[in-house]
């Protein structure tokens, strides 16, 4: 063990209560990510980082750097700091350590001492970035898992918001509830056509009792869905048209020819059964 390096480590540690502010200011001046960290939190962290480097080259003790560098790298990743922020702190810590070496007296250290000194800085930086990169990979996996979970939940919500009920052999009921936009309309059409094809249904009852507003777009969506169903051989019965919606449809000039109309779901079921030659007794 080089006594010169031990003396250098002691020299740097003793000066840290005063010199760490120089390091903090240099880091925060160049990094917006680190600038957002309060000084009372960042200064002790930077001091501990330098102390672990000193323990490595001064006493050949790798324990502190192995524990601290990956830990603080992971913490910075989870705080949302960028790779640029990390590279800035790596460079500023290296510059700080070399400034302290100059203050100690570069003529007092041998070439081997300089190599061990630089190796210690390099090892800290390597472990810091390793902890950061591992945390980023973990965060990316968490985000992917969350995205997949959200997608599964959205799929479930879409299915629940557009239930297609097999009422009787050859008859499907599609009760619509809530507002209908272009995205939901596409989902409705896709699920309905799939259900018709799978069940070989002859009649589809579309119940719009729960649709609060009918405008030109919604009316077109309904017509497109009905015509698409007719193209694959299913008769469409539209029920649940209230007075306000009826007035809106007339004002919009929506052409409902080819679509049978029922006052409510019960009437729609009766029409569907009649179409198939059945009746409720």
């Amino acid at each position: 063990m080089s006594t010169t390096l031990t003396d250098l480590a002691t020299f740097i540690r003793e000066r840290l209560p005063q010199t760490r502010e120089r390091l903090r200011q240099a880091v925060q001046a160049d990094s917006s990510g680190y600038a957002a960290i309060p000084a009372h939190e960042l200064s002790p962290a930077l001091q501990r980082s330098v102390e672990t480097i000193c323990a490595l080259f001064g006493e050949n003790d790798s324990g502190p750097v192995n524990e601290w560098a990956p830990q603080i790298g992971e913490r910075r990743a989870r705080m949302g700091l960028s790779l640029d922020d990390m590279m800035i702190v790596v460079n500023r810590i290296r510059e700080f350590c070399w400034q302290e070496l100059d203050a100690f007296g570069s003529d007092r250290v041998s070439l081997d001492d300089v190599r061990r000194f630089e190796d210690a800085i390099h090892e800290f930086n390597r472990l810091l970035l390793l902890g950061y990169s591992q945390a980023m990979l973990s965060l990316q996996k968490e985000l992917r898992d969350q995205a997949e979970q959200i997608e599964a939940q959205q799929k479930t919500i879409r299915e629940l918001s557009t239930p297609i009920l097999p009422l009787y052999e050859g008859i499907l009921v599609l009760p619509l509830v809530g507002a209908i936009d272009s995205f939901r309309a596409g989902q409705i059409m896709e699920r309905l056509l799939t259900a018709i094809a799978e069940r070989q249904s002859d009649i589809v009852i579309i119940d719009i009792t729960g649709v609060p507003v009918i405008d030109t777009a919604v009316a077109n969506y309904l017509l497109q869905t009905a015509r698409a169903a007719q193209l694959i051989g299913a008769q469409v019965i539209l029920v649940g048209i209230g007075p306000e919606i009826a007035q809106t449809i007339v004002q919009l000039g929506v052409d409902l020819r080819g679509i049978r109309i029922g006052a409510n779901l019960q009437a729609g079921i009766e029409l569907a059964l009649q179409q198939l030659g059945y009746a409720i007794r």
Side-chain angles (χ1 to χ4, degrees), residues 20-257:
R20 72 180 192 181
E21 287 305 299
R22 184 179 82 238
L23 175 58
R24 178 191 64 78
Q25 290 171 4
V27 169
Q28 291 193 314
D30 293 341
S31 165
S32 58
Y34 275 95
I37 302 176
H40 69 271
E41 176 185 335
L42 180 58
S43 289
L46 291 172
Q47 177 171 334
R48 184 172 175 181
S49 297
V50 174
E51 287 172 344
T52 63
I53 295 172
C54 291
L56 186 55
F57 73 74
E59 292 86 36
N60 199 29
D61 184 1
S62 61
V65 73
N66 288 338
E67 176 187 357
W68 173 249
Q71 179 188 127
I72 193 64
E74 177 183 358
R75 187 184 304 174
R76 297 308 181 220
R78 294 191 176 277
M79 289 176 63
L81 270 67
S82 69
L83 182 59
D84 286 343
D85 292 320
M86 301 308 297
M87 294 308 300
I88 287 171
V89 77
V90 161
N91 291 330
R92 295 300 167 267
I93 288 176
R94 173 176 275 111
E95 290 173 1
F96 174 84
C97 289
W98 278 98
Q99 288 168 357
E100 289 301 287
L101 175 63
D102 287 340
F104 174 77
S106 56
D107 56 335
R108 297 170 57 184
V109 295
S110 67
L111 182 59
D112 286 341
D113 291 337
V114 170
R115 287 172 178 164
R116 285 188 54 193
F117 177 74
E118 177 60 26
D119 286 346
I121 299 173
H122 174 77
E123 181 64 7
F124 171 83
N125 292 339
R126 185 186 71 81
L127 292 173
L128 176 73
L129 295 175
L130 178 63
Y132 176 85
S133 62
Q134 289 177 338
M136 290 300 292
L137 290 174
S138 176
L139 287 170
Q140 289 173 0
K141 183 179 183 302
E142 291 174 12
L143 289 174
R144 285 196 301 270
D145 292 344
Q146 290 176 2
E148 291 173 0
Q149 184 178 6
I150 290 171
E151 175 59 27
Q153 291 172 345
Q154 289 177 340
K155 181 179 179 182
T156 301
I157 291 171
R158 289 195 296 267
E159 291 175 352
L160 291 174
S161 65
T162 314
I164 299 176
L165 311 175
L167 180 65
Y168 190 76
E169 184 178 353
I171 302 175
L172 294 178
V173 177
L174 174 60
L176 298 178
V177 178
I180 300 175
D181 56 16
S182 58
F183 179 79
R184 188 182 175 201
Q187 294 288 331
I188 291 170
M189 183 182 296
E190 180 182 350
R191 294 200 65 235
L192 179 59
L193 298 180
T194 300
I196 292 171
E198 288 177 350
R199 296 180 177 273
Q200 296 296 304
S201 300
D202 300 311
I203 299 174
V204 176
I205 303 172
I206 301 178
D207 184 0
I208 62 170
T209 305
V211 178
V213 178
I214 289 285
D215 57 17
T216 304
V218 174
N220 285 331
Y221 294 149
L222 293 174
L223 285 175
Q224 289 172 7
T225 301
R227 288 166 182 163
Q230 289 171 339
L231 286 174
I232 60 174
Q235 173 66 44
V236 175
I237 300 175
L238 184 62
V239 303
I241 300 177
E244 294 182 0
I245 292 180
Q247 185 176 2
T248 302
I249 289 175
V250 171
Q251 291 174 348
L252 293 174
V254 176
D255 184 5
L256 296 178
R257 286 179 297 179

